[in-house]
């Protein structure tokens, strides 16, 4: 199993954490997949914003 397969197997919440936070605990700047950034309502709540975006994409599938 490669790293991409591992990412695809994660829950939405775990995936959001992996793409939002680096090994030092700093935000990676995943604005492109953050619903709050897309709505121009950034509040530095990156993980929640990514979860919101992924869930909306899942619905629109």
């Amino acid at each position: 199993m490669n790293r991409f397969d591992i990412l695809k197997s994660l829950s939405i919440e775990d995936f959001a954490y992996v793409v939002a936070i680096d090994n030092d605990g700093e935000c990676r700047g995943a604005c492109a997949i953050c619903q709050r950034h897309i709505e121009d309502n950034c509040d530095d709540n990156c993980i929640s914003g990514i979860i919101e975006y992924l869930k909306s994409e899942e619905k629109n599938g």
Side-chain angles (χ1 to χ4, degrees):
M1 182 178 282
N2 62 38
R3 289 181 184 178
F4 186 64
D5 290 330
I6 292 169
L7 286 174
K8 291 189 303 184
S9 72
L10 295 174
S11 68
I12 287 176
E13 292 79 6
D14 288 341
F15 180 84
Y17 184 82
V18 168
V19 299
I21 307 297
D22 67 15
N23 289 340
D24 295 324
E26 300 294 324
C27 185
R28 295 182 192 264
C31 299
I33 59 169
C34 177
Q35 192 65 36
R36 294 169 192 223
H37 176 77
I38 291 167
E39 294 171 353
D40 200 25
N41 189 24
C42 181
D43 58 3
D44 292 327
N45 229 338
C46 305
I47 294 173
S48 297
I50 293 169
I51 291 169
E52 290 170 13
Y53 172 79
L54 293 172
K55 287 185 176 182
S56 72
E57 286 296 302
E58 187 176 55
K59 285 181 187 177
N60 297 329

